[in-house]
């Protein structure tokens, strides 16, 4: 029968049993709590007397010696926690005291290396998980296949935060090291997909909401159009840029200030995005200020470039300092980009069409097939929505699908930019404002008496005369005399 302190019910659970002198066997029992049939895999790891003892200084969890890593996730972050280890000791000896002193002959000299290993993308199978667990369960396997993330000392809090990637399998492991004896031991690896396999709504198999797929499918089609024809159809480009700018801003604002459902927030953001797109088009239509609109377009490109730069490993070096450093860097990159548009407005606008339009296609593909490129902007959105996101490690896997999507993005961007530059080389830089053209045409008709349109009555008078012709009976004129010219 399971006893307190000697048993554990959990996923990715493990037990550590110190052996007594002369002991040659150990019995471990595994059962399903509800009697259901489950699939599992087991790994046995032996430790010597010089190896650190994972979880031997546990004062928080249920087991007396707890070598497990406990994981908790939400939409934004994944947190792992573990009990401190103790230095090794031989069979039959009394375990060293955990908190009696901080000298070098105590557990305070131990160091903790945190590793992560990404499972294949879009693969939720048990076979993939079990083979990965067996590959990285011991120290040599995790060091050879996993990625080292961080090192904690014994004086640090035994906790690490990571970026949540729903639907992407990740295995986390902690290796405790004794630098004095040059020995090490592994905690029990733990995995997560940052989603639920039992939930009927938003589970791992139903991650993509219908509203999200619809939204990004339409956005991807619009992005494909802007990528190749944005500069030629300037009003359509302005509407798409204004829509993206307003929708993103108000999605953050609505989510931060209200408790509305995700679908409602997305619908409201789309409506406000339409209003933002119409306002940007109308501002150009009414005032004809191309540069003001180009600044907004430049900010869109600056936002994407800043997000891409901070998506690289540079993010870890910047974000771990403070939120102020991160946002200062982000804003500087975002603001510098539109300055180049003041010198080369047409070229900058065409480049924005190619880059932003191509990325919209990548986001549309991500609504159906997971790709890490979506986290270029999603990480920024998470920082807006989560105050504690600066302490999160934002590593994401780069696998075959990601390199394919990078190629697609580059090909779309380059083809769109080259095509538009070639097609627009002999055309005016930007189309004129329709309202200003109408004012100029009206003034020209007033002053140019030789213009045939000058002799046309105004439109209301023409409509009134036409109505009178339709309602008034035509009287016979009598004799008709031809006019000789």
């Amino acid at each position: 029968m399971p006893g307190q302190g000697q048993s554990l019910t959990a996923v990715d659970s493990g037990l550590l049993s110190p052996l007594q002198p002369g002991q040659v066997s150990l019995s471990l029992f595994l059962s399903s709590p509800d009697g259901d049939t489950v699939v599992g895999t087991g790994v046995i790891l032996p430790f010597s007397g010089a190896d650190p003892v994972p979880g031997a200084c546990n004062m928080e969890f249920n087991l007396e010696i707890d070598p497990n890593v406990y994981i908790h996730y939400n939409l934004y972050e994944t947190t792992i926690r573990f009990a401190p280890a103790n230095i090794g000791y031989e069979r039959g000896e009394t375990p060293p005291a955990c908190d009696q002193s901080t000298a070098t002959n105590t557990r305070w000299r131990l160091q903790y290396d945190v590793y992560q290993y990404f499972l294949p993308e879009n693969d939720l199978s048990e076979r993939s998980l079990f083979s990965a667990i067996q590959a990285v369960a011991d120290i040599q396997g995790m060091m050879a296949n996993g990625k080292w993330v961080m090192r904690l000392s014994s004086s640090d809090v035994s906790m690490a935060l990571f970026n949540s990637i729903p639907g992407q399998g990740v295995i986390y492991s902690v290796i405790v090291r004794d630098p004095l004896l040059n020995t090490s031991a592994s905690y029990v690896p733990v995995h997560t997909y940052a989603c639920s396999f039992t939930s009927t709504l938003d589970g791992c198999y139903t991650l993509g909401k219908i509203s999200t797929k619809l939204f990004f499918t339409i956005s991807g089609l619009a992005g494909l159009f802007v990528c190749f024809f944005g500069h030629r159809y300037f009003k359509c480009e302005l509407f798409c840029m204004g829509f993206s700018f307003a929708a993103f801003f108000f999605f953050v604002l609505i989510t931060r200030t209200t408790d509305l459902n995700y679908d409602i927030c997305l619908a409201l953001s789309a409506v406000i995005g339409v209003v933002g797109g119409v306002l940007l088009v109308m501002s150009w239509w009414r005032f004809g200020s191309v540069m003001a609109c180009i600044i907004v377009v430049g900010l869109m490109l600056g936002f994407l470039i800043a997000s891409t730069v901070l998506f690289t490993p540079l993010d870890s070096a910047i974000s771990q300092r403070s939120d102020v450093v991160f946002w200062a860097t982000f804003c500087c990159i975002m603001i510098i980009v539109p300055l180049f548009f003041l010198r080369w407005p047409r070229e900058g606008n065409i480049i924005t069409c190619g880059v932003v339009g191509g990325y919209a296609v990548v986001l549309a593909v991500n609504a159906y097939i997971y790709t890490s490129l979506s986290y270029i902007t999603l990480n920024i959105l998470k920082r807006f929505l989560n105050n504690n996101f600066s302490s999160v490690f934002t590593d994401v896997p780069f696998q075959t699908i990601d390199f394919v999507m990078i190629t697609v993005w580059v090909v779309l961007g380059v083809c769109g930019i080259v095509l538009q530059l070639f097609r627009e080389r002999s055309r005016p830089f930007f189309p004129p404002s329709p309202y200003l053209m109408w004012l100029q045409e009206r003034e020209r008709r007033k002053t140019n008496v030789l213009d045939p349109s000058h002799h046309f009555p105004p439109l209301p008078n023409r409509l009134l005369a036409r109505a009178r012709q339709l309602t008034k009976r035509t009287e016979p004129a009598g004799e008709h005399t031809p006019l000789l010219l």
Side-chain angles (χ1 to χ4, degrees), residues 248-306:
F248 184 89
F249 177 80
F250 277 95
F251 182 83
V252 173
L253 182 64
I254 294 172
T255 306
R256 288 291 298 242
T257 57
T258 67
D259 296 325
L260 295 177
N261 181 274
Y262 168 81
D263 292 333
I264 298 178
C265 290
L266 188 63
L268 289 176
S269 302
V271 172
I272 298 175
V274 171
V275 175
V278 171
L279 289 178
L280 185 61
V281 174
M282 293 304 296
S283 64
W284 167 75
W285 186 89
R286 174 61 179 82
F287 302 103
S289 178
V290 173
M291 296 309 300
C293 299
I294 289 300
I295 292 299
V296 177
V297 175
L299 289 175
M300 289 293 299
L301 181 61
F303 175 87
L304 188 54
I305 291 178

Side-chain angles (χ1 to χ4, degrees), residues 57-96:
C57 289
N58 171 41
M59 299 181 63
E60 180 179 0
F61 307 108
N62 295 329
L63 295 176
E64 296 177 1
I65 300 178
D66 196 340
N68 295 282
V69 177
Y70 294 88
I71 195 165
H72 174 75
Y73 68 85
N74 56 32
L75 177 63
Y76 305 104
E77 62 188 21
T78 298
T79 305
I80 64 170
R81 298 162 57 237
F82 55 92
N86 202 351
I87 57 176
Y89 54 93
E90 297 295 335
R91 293 192 186 190
E93 294 183 356
T94 302

